[in-house]
């Protein structure tokens, strides 16, 4: 992965993390950096899953890939929030 791919993964990760956080109702007890990290991981994993399913490259907007990434981010934010709540 080149530097422009890394930079775009960070920006996409920020958007995915924020959208994943908005999907979950209530207040989350995790910080912005954790949200961004979860978003980056969700974006990378979601892209890999979408590529495996064959829906990563479509003619228009890759809605299925976005939905997979946002769902993974929501699960990641919820899991991290739940682990922070136990402490």
């Amino acid at each position: 992965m080149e530097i422009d791919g890394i930079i775009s993964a960070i920006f996409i990760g920020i958007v995915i993390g924020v959208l994943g956080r908005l999907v979950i109702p209530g207040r989350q007890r995790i910080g912005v950096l954790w949200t961004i990290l979860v978003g980056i991981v969700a974006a990378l994993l979601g892209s890999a899953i979408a590529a495996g399913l064959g829906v990563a490259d479509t003619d228009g907007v890759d809605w299925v890939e976005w939905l997979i990434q946002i769902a993974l981010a929501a699960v990641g934010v919820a899991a991290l929030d739940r682990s922070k709540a136990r402490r």
Side-chain angles (χ1 to χ4, degrees):
M1 183 178 275
E2 295 183 18
I3 190 71
D4 60 340
I6 293 171
I7 292 171
S8 65
I10 291 170
F11 283 122
I12 291 170
I14 291 169
V15 172
I16 294 295
V18 169
L19 290 174
R21 191 171 179 149
L22 288 174
V23 169
I24 300 174
R27 185 173 188 271
Q28 291 83 35
R29 293 171 289 274
I30 64 171
V32 174
L33 290 177
W34 281 112
T35 302
I36 292 169
L37 289 174
V38 167
I40 291 170
V41 170
L44 294 173
L45 284 175
S47 294
I49 291 171
L53 294 174
V55 294
D57 295 321
T58 59
D59 291 335
V61 178
D62 298 326
W63 293 110
V64 176
E65 183 177 8
W66 274 85
L67 290 174
I68 293 170
Q69 291 170 339
I70 293 169
L72 287 173
V75 169
V77 167
L80 192 59
D81 181 50
R82 196 169 292 219
S83 72
K84 294 271 187 182
R86 290 184 185 162
R87 294 182 185 179

